[in-house]
Amino acid sequence: MLQVYLDPCTVNSRKVLAGLALLGTEYDYHFINYFAGEQKSEAFKKINPSATVPAASDGDLVLTESNAILQYAADLVGSPAYPKDLKKRADINRWLLWEASVWFQTCYVYLVEFVVKPLLNAEPDQAVINAQEPTWLKLASILDDRLSKSKYLTGDEVSIADIAVAAPMHLHGACRLPLEKTPHLKRWIADIERLPCWQQTQGAVDKALLPQAAATNDANGANGNKEVRAPFNYTKDVQQLTELYFYESEKAKNIHEPGDDPHEMSVHDGWHRADSFSVDKEGFSLHGLKTSFEQWDDDGAVAKKFYPEIVEFLKKTQGAKRVLVFDHTIRSKTNAGKALTQETSTSQRAPVMLVHCDYTAESGPIRVQQLMGAEAKDLLSRRVAFFNVWKPIRRVVEEHPLAMCDVTSSPPEDFFKLYLRYRDRTGENYVMRHNPAHKWWYFPKMNPEQVILLKTFDSAIDGRARFVGHSAFSDPTSPPDAPYRESVEIRTIAFF
């Protein structure tokens, strides 16, 4: 019987466990606690003098390289995942050697910066990532080109080469690997993640390396692979202006209103990679925010007592020098009957079932001028960003949760203007035309100790996300008797 010694959280240990499950090879499992340093014990070094995991033995044979373990385990059972045909086997072998010699190392840089350092309460070094990215992209493009020709690396059937090459990028979300630039590689890793042999090894990895996400998954009962289908109200881009009036007016007749192009879209459960979302990449992020504040029906108390908590939260998480909280809205279905033209109690509204972003490239600076007066010119000479802080109140959200359209899937040309007509001014939002490439995310069953941060405007034009589309939606998995969603949306401007 093959004996394997490993800790499933490490890249190469996870590779071996997933590979053995794919192959169907029987083995005895010996857990070696990597973080406790058991691989460095004198007892283990008798098996592997290099003091690394994984290792495997079969009688007097000892193997200490993960790819060699997979090759041997495949031959034990004659698996088609490592075929006997010499040319097919040589093709697999070259990918195994390529992974060990170059691919592992470049992916590992991202793992250290974005996963290991946070575990050690250290900050990632973006300069290290910037230096590594050209190498990663060069190697990833090799994979991308190969995967443009077949489903898997060596053909239309999965092999141990796929498991080996996937392993170094097994936390690609948390590691923030730039997969959007390699669409075939992105498609392939999604296929790997759907394999049962891969899924059954994910829990141990999350628990060890993404403890906050794993704990949240447990608390929320969320499945990291969950996906639902639901309608989203996009807007047709027509010749006339798209408008909304927030007061009674004859001018509101025969206007083109938004939300006239509904499409059913997939919405992905984001809990399995909750720690990896970034306002600068995907346009949104998830955070913990505990508060003792409960006076949500008192607008004055919200402004006086809760706004200061948001100011400190944004200074801490975004590094802003100054933060202005200028508005908030309590969202609940109980307000669904309120007319859009009602000009009182505007802080109480129903969830917005429209794909939109709250500001445009033009309206963001105008809002700064309106709110900051004489200071605006100086403030706008430096970076300014608008953030919405979205938070459940009173209870877990089950009905009409919030969904975000990943900025990496929504190019600027998918946004166009919606004119908001008020009695004393005209504002601008973005609405979005439908694009089947849009990727939607949500966090089902969020509780009041969690917040979503949405970036709705950024003056910086340097590649970071500037506008994130978002919408409430009807989750088909919500219980029919789920209580109305109650949430607060705090609007802010951060000055850097």
Side-chain angles (χ1 to χ4, degrees):
M1 178 76 72
L2 186 66
Q3 309 294 311
V4 296
Y5 306 83
L6 48 77
D7 185 329
C9 76
T10 74
V11 169
N12 288 326
S13 293
R14 200 264 178 89
K15 177 201 299 182
V16 167
L17 279 183
L20 291 172
L22 174 70
L23 298 167
T25 308
E26 294 185 1
Y27 61 93
D28 287 331
Y29 172 43
H30 304 269
F31 175 62
I32 305 298
N33 191 322
Y34 179 79
F35 285 106
E38 291 182 359
Q39 73 278 11
K40 299 177 182 178
S41 68
E42 292 303 316
F44 182 72
K45 285 196 289 186
K46 291 178 181 179
I47 299 169
N48 183 5
S50 297
T52 59
V53 288
S57 64
D58 189 6
D60 59 356
L61 173 67
V62 177
L63 299 171
T64 58
E65 299 298 324
S66 57
N67 290 342
I69 295 171
L70 292 184
Q71 290 168 311
Y72 181 72
D75 281 337
L76 284 177
V77 295
S79 172
Y82 191 46
K84 299 292 186 182
D85 179 275
L86 291 180
K87 288 186 177 181
K88 292 180 179 179
R89 178 165 286 206
D91 194 21
I92 291 173
N93 288 344
R94 65 115 167 189
W95 288 113
L96 297 179
L97 293 167
W98 184 85
E99 181 271 329
S101 61
V102 294
W103 184 238
F104 176 92
Q105 288 87 335
T106 190
C107 291
Y108 195 66
V109 173
Y110 288 81
L111 182 71
V112 169
E113 292 300 320
F114 290 125
V115 176
V116 176
K117 281 189 175 180
L119 283 174
L120 301 176
N121 296 316
E123 289 295 319
D125 188 339
Q126 189 61 45
V128 172
I129 294 299
N130 292 342
Q132 185 62 214
E133 185 170 299
T135 299
W136 189 91
L137 286 172
K138 178 182 177 180
L139 296 172
S141 67
I142 295 172
L143 291 172
D144 196 64
D145 180 66
R146 179 66 191 89
L147 291 164
S148 70
K149 300 176 177 66
S150 61
K151 183 175 182 179
Y152 295 108
L153 278 174
T154 59
D156 292 328
E157 300 296 331
V158 67
S159 76
I160 60 173
D162 295 286
I163 299 300
V165 173
M169 52 188 297
H170 70 154
L171 290 174
H172 60 86
C175 292
R176 306 183 194 179
L177 296 180
L179 286 172
E180 296 303 322
K181 299 180 180 181
T182 52
H184 302 294
L185 179 59
K186 181 180 177 181
R187 183 272 308 162
W188 169 82
I189 193 62
D191 288 342
I192 297 297
E193 290 173 334
R194 283 190 282 268
L195 295 174
C197 68
W198 196 263
Q199 292 181 354
Q200 70 187 46
T201 57
Q202 188 66 50
V205 174
D206 288 346
K207 185 175 182 180
L209 299 179
L210 303 175
Q212 181 178 339
T216 307
N217 283 345
D218 291 341
N220 288 277
N223 178 353
N225 296 303
K226 179 181 175 183
E227 177 182 316
V228 299
R229 298 281 296 179
F232 281 79
N233 294 316
Y234 287 92
T235 301
K236 292 180 181 178
D237 190 2
V238 298
Q239 291 298 315
Q240 72 181 103
L241 297 180
T242 301
E243 305 172 85
L244 277 178
Y245 276 76
F246 290 87
Y247 65 98
E248 296 287 352
S249 172
E250 287 295 314
K251 297 178 182 179
K253 293 181 178 180
N254 301 315
I255 62 172
H256 176 240
E257 296 190 3
D260 60 341
D261 192 23
H263 287 266
E264 187 174 85
M265 303 294 288
S266 293
V267 194
H268 302 270
D269 182 332
W271 285 116
H272 70 293
R273 49 163 296 193
D275 289 344
S276 72
F277 291 108
S278 165
V279 290
D280 287 336
K281 184 180 180 183
E282 294 86 4
F284 65 93
S285 54
L286 185 84
H287 304 266
L289 179 62
K290 293 184 178 181
T291 179
S292 59
F293 183 81
E294 295 181 350
Q295 297 170 266
W296 300 110
D297 295 324
D298 184 337
D299 288 344
V302 174
K304 182 178 180 180
K305 298 180 181 179
F306 189 60
Y307 282 12
E309 294 187 40
I310 295 299
V311 170
E312 293 308 309
F313 165 73
L314 288 172
K315 286 182 176 180
K316 180 179 179 181
T317 61
Q318 302 305 310
K321 293 181 180 179
R322 180 179 175 184
V323 175
L324 171 70
V325 181
F326 62 90
D327 190 13
H328 76 273
T329 302
I330 304 294
R331 301 282 185 189
S332 173
K333 190 178 178 180
T334 57
N335 296 313
K338 181 180 291 186
L340 191 63
T341 53
Q342 182 174 325
E343 298 178 66
T344 59
S345 300
T346 56
S347 66
Q348 305 286 327
R349 294 290 187 187
V352 178
M353 305 287 281
L354 173 69
V355 180
H356 72 289
C357 181
D358 295 34
Y359 288 91
T360 70
E362 290 75 27
S363 68
I366 290 173
R367 194 70 173 131
V368 174
Q369 293 166 3
Q370 292 170 339
L371 292 168
M372 304 307 296
E375 289 187 89
K377 183 176 180 180
D378 177 62
L379 292 170
L380 288 169
S381 69
R382 297 179 295 277
R383 182 182 170 223
V384 176
F386 284 58
F387 295 102
N388 283 4
V389 183
W390 188 93
K391 173 182 147 39
I393 58 175
R394 299 191 178 101
R395 56 177 171 261
V396 168
V397 169
E398 295 184 80
E399 183 255 6
H400 287 117
L402 182 68
M404 289 68 62
C405 187
D406 193 323
V407 171
T408 63
S409 72
S410 52
E413 54 266 27
D414 288 349
F415 294 80
F416 64 98
K417 288 184 179 181
L418 164 66
Y419 294 90
L420 307 175
R421 310 297 188 186
Y422 299 95
R423 195 175 294 276
D424 59 345
R425 64 184 176 90
T426 294
E428 294 178 0
N429 278 188
Y430 278 133
V431 286
M432 295 179 71
R433 59 175 61 83
H434 173 253
N435 183 336
H438 288 165
K439 185 166 187 178
W440 286 90
W441 295 95
Y442 82 126
F443 301 99
K445 297 185 179 179
M446 275 185 65
N447 68 54
E449 293 186 353
Q450 297 156 342
V451 299
I452 296 174
L453 194 56
L454 304 166
K455 189 192 287 186
T456 55
F457 169 80
D458 198 323
S459 65
I461 307 176
D462 57 5
R464 73 183 83 197
R466 299 186 68 206
F467 308 97
V468 64
H470 54 281
S471 176
F473 77 103
S474 296
D475 184 350
T477 66
S478 295
D481 58 347
Y484 290 161
R485 180 250 269 189
E486 291 189 280
S487 61
V488 63
E489 188 175 312
I490 310 289
R491 298 179 185 85
T492 77
I493 309 176
F495 303 98
F496 296 88

